[in-house]
Amino acid sequence: MEMMLNRIILDTERVPAADRFGLWLDMLADSPAPLRVRTEHADDFVARADTIDLGRMRLVRYRYPSLDCVRSRKLIQRSDPDYYVLALTLAGTGTADQAGQRSECRPGDFTFYDCSRPHEVSHHGEHHGPAHPSSIVAFIPYDALPLPHRRLAALFAGRMPGNEGIGALLADYLIRITGHPEQYHAADAERLAGIGLDLVSMMLGRHLVSEDVVPTEVRRQALLAQVRSHIRQHLGDTTLSPQSIADAHHISVRSLHRLFEAEETTVAACIRDQRLERCRRDLADPALRDRPIQLIAGRWGFRDKAHFSRAFRAAHEETPQAYRVRHLEQARIVNTPASVINSQRTY
């Protein structure tokens, strides 16, 4: 059985109200950057932290009552890790203050700071109302980013939008990984971390104005991630092609093909393989057993029935119909109670 991503969930509602805030403080004390916390909800601190370890990067999805946090020089002396923090506000209004810079972040905004320098962070529900603020935080070791530390100081406690360009792609990545970690395997962790770190580097580099500070390979990986995301979002579009993808990203078709040279695949193969993967998923879905195979193929961009059958058989050495029958039968056996199966046996 495949191992899932390393994940730890802390939910204070699982303990009595009087113990909830203390449990939260214990969790923060074990984090890479402990904070001093002030809140008006210490008597009943209903909060949740979902931590996902990707190796080179740790992601935490938080939900908590309104609070104010300080990382003081004394705390830094006790624990002075070489970490950056990148935070995406999901709900509520956040403020960050570090190195003389202060910013206010609303849902969809990023902020960035250095754990080895004093800073203040606040996060409150809208209009200080009852709605819980929430955020996604990435703890990133210094050496995981290929950007000069002295240059990044200009971004500490700054606001960066997460609703456009690279910022939007990074926000989608963080929301997807932390929202559905059960969909990924432990074997995916290193690759997932690499994709995330490339996107972080690209976004930070863009906000440093000079793109020259971003290594060529980081720019290539970030563009590749954008292209792959575009393909996933347009699989059902029968006009999806290398030309349409290149046009959408303002590059030449030749540049697009060069982008895939190190990926051991081609643009066309990437489109075909993702379409076949979606078709496989639908063919094996018991809820879609009555949907004609041609409709499933058409939904994912295969216009011609014969072409789809050839492509499917070349990839899986069986016809779409045979694949569907085999997987639906397996699903039926798995979902049939053992008592029913035993009653159907002949002796």
Side-chain angles (χ1 to χ4, degrees):
M1 180 179 290
E2 292 274 9
M3 295 291 291
M4 297 296 103
L5 290 176
N6 187 5
R7 180 186 187 189
I8 299 174
I9 300 174
L10 182 143
D11 188 344
T12 66
E13 286 194 288
R14 297 176 181 176
V15 301
D19 298 332
R20 289 171 180 170
F21 190 51
L23 180 64
W24 190 260
L25 295 180
D26 289 344
M27 181 269 296
L28 289 180
D30 290 334
S31 74
L35 299 162
R36 189 172 72 246
V37 181
R38 299 187 302 271
T39 180
E40 296 178 358
H41 308 277
D43 57 338
D44 187 10
F45 197 81
V46 177
R48 178 185 171 97
D50 196 340
T51 302
I52 299 153
D53 188 0
L54 297 180
R56 289 187 294 159
M57 179 169 62
R58 181 189 300 184
L59 304 180
V60 188
R61 189 165 184 146
Y62 290 114
R63 182 176 180 272
Y64 35 61
S66 296
L67 46 70
D68 301 287
C69 304
V70 175
R71 182 154 169 80
S72 64
R73 294 189 183 279
K74 184 177 292 187
L75 284 174
I76 291 172
Q77 290 171 358
R78 294 179 190 170
S79 172
D80 186 15
D82 292 339
Y83 274 88
Y84 298 115
V85 164
L86 180 74
L88 172 65
T89 300
L90 297 179
T93 301
T95 60
D97 194 326
Q98 185 173 58
Q101 183 166 210
R102 182 180 178 83
S103 63
E104 181 175 291
C105 296
R106 298 206 170 265
D109 289 339
F110 285 101
T111 191
F112 179 69
Y113 42 93
D114 181 0
C115 292
S116 293
R117 300 188 185 195
H119 58 269
E120 298 181 13
V121 181
S122 298
H123 203 172
H124 294 269
E126 290 296 335
H127 309 296
H128 297 270
H132 278 41
S134 60
S135 63
I136 300 173
V137 169
F139 291 96
I140 305 170
Y142 283 177
D143 59 9
L145 293 182
L147 304 170
H149 184 269
R150 58 181 176 79
R151 294 290 308 280
L152 287 174
L155 301 180
F156 295 155
R159 185 190 73 84
M160 293 169 280
N163 58 1
E164 59 185 26
I166 297 296
L169 193 59
L170 176 57
D172 289 345
Y173 163 89
L174 294 173
I175 291 169
R176 181 69 186 179
I177 298 294
T178 61
H180 301 280
E182 73 284 352
Q183 296 182 2
Y184 305 94
H185 299 143
D188 300 326
E190 182 177 353
R191 182 60 177 157
L192 289 172
I195 293 170
L197 291 169
D198 285 342
L199 291 172
V200 171
S201 299
M202 191 66 178
M203 184 184 75
L204 296 177
R206 290 282 174 86
H207 285 275
L208 288 174
V209 180
S210 173
E211 193 172 290
D212 292 339
V213 74
V214 183
T216 301
E217 177 58 18
V218 172
R219 294 201 301 273
R220 189 189 77 82
Q221 288 290 344
L223 179 56
L224 181 63
Q226 284 183 284
V227 167
R228 289 187 179 278
S229 177
H230 178 88
I231 291 173
R232 286 194 298 272
Q233 293 172 19
H234 295 82
L235 284 176
D237 184 352
T238 57
T239 65
L240 183 68
S241 66
Q243 184 64 62
S244 70
I245 296 169
D247 291 344
H249 293 84
H250 309 290
I251 59 176
S252 67
V253 174
R254 183 177 180 182
S255 296
L256 179 65
H257 287 309
R258 281 203 303 267
L259 188 66
F260 277 79
E261 285 178 354
E263 300 303 306
E264 298 182 355
T265 188
T266 64
V267 185
C270 181
I271 296 171
R272 181 199 63 226
D273 292 346
Q274 289 200 42
R275 282 175 167 164
L276 287 173
E277 172 61 31
R278 298 299 180 92
C279 290
R280 284 198 304 272
R281 184 192 66 185
D282 286 1
L283 289 170
D285 187 347
L288 301 177
R289 65 170 65 248
D290 295 327
R291 181 168 297 180
I293 291 176
Q294 188 171 355
L295 284 183
I296 289 176
R299 177 190 179 191
W300 298 115
F302 288 103
R303 288 178 292 184
D304 183 84
K305 182 180 179 180
H307 170 67
F308 168 63
S309 295
R310 287 194 300 271
F312 194 96
R313 188 161 192 165
H316 305 292
E317 299 182 344
E318 62 181 332
T319 65
Q321 178 64 27
Y323 180 91
R324 169 180 256 184
V325 170
R326 181 165 59 85
H327 280 77
L328 290 181
E329 177 62 17
Q330 290 174 354
R332 186 191 68 79
I333 293 173
V334 169
N335 293 320
T336 300
S339 59
V340 175
I341 294 175
N342 290 333
S343 70
Q344 295 174 346
R345 290 177 176 171
T346 58
Y347 297 91

